[in-house]
């Protein structure tokens, strides 16, 4: 289930599936700096966390399979860390409620043989702890 950041929809996805994919958080290729265009998605995650104070999440970074496995594993973890830090600093999320993980390209949701598939694989998932 793909949701581009509405707190109610995020919560519904997590309730029904235990996880939700987020496609509204953007980074430059090969970097873990969150682009300003990602703020609406981060704000909705912040709203979700405020609305559900007991909710704890794994923030899981995913990449496509371009570049090597080790690089993508490190990159996806760095991106997940950046998201946790941004949620704590800008949206008041207690860091203890969020755990960052990076799984690189090992859990694709589409083929990496096309740009469209690679784009679907580049995502963040929120997984209920």
């Amino acid at each position: 289930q793909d949701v581009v950041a509405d707190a109610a929809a995020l919560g519904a996805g997590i309730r029904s599936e235990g996880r939700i994919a987020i496609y509204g958080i953007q980074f430059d290729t090969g970097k873990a700096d969150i682009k300003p265009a990602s703020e609406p998605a981060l704000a909705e995650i912040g709203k979700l966390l405020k609305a559900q104070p007991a909710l704890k999440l794994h923030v899981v970074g995913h990449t496509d399979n371009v570049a090597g496995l080790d690089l993508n594993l490190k990159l996806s973890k760095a991106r997940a860390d950046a998201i946790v830090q941004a949620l704590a600093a800008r949206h008041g999320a207690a860091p203890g409620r969020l755990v960052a993980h990076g799984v690189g390209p090992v859990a694709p949701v589409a083929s990496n043989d096309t740009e469209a598939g690679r784009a679907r694989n580049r995502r963040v998932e929120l997984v209920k702890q």
Side-chain angles (χ1 to χ4, degrees), residues 63-66 105 108 110-115 117-119 121-122:
T63 65
D64 57 30
N65 71 349
V66 176
S111 169
N112 279 300
D113 293 337
T114 66
E115 177 50 41
R118 288 188 295 275
N121 290 331
R122 293 187 298 264

Side-chain angles (χ1 to χ4, degrees), residues 13 19 27 35 42 50 53 95 107 122-123:
R19 65 177 207 40
F27 302 88
K35 288 185 172 187
L42 293 171
K50 286 177 185 151
R122 293 187 298 264
R123 69 196 185 281

Side-chain angles (χ1 to χ4, degrees), residues 45-46 49-50 84 86-98:
I45 297 167
L49 291 167
K50 286 177 185 151
V84 168
L87 289 169
R90 299 198 298 259
H91 299 284
R97 296 176 62 191
L98 304 168

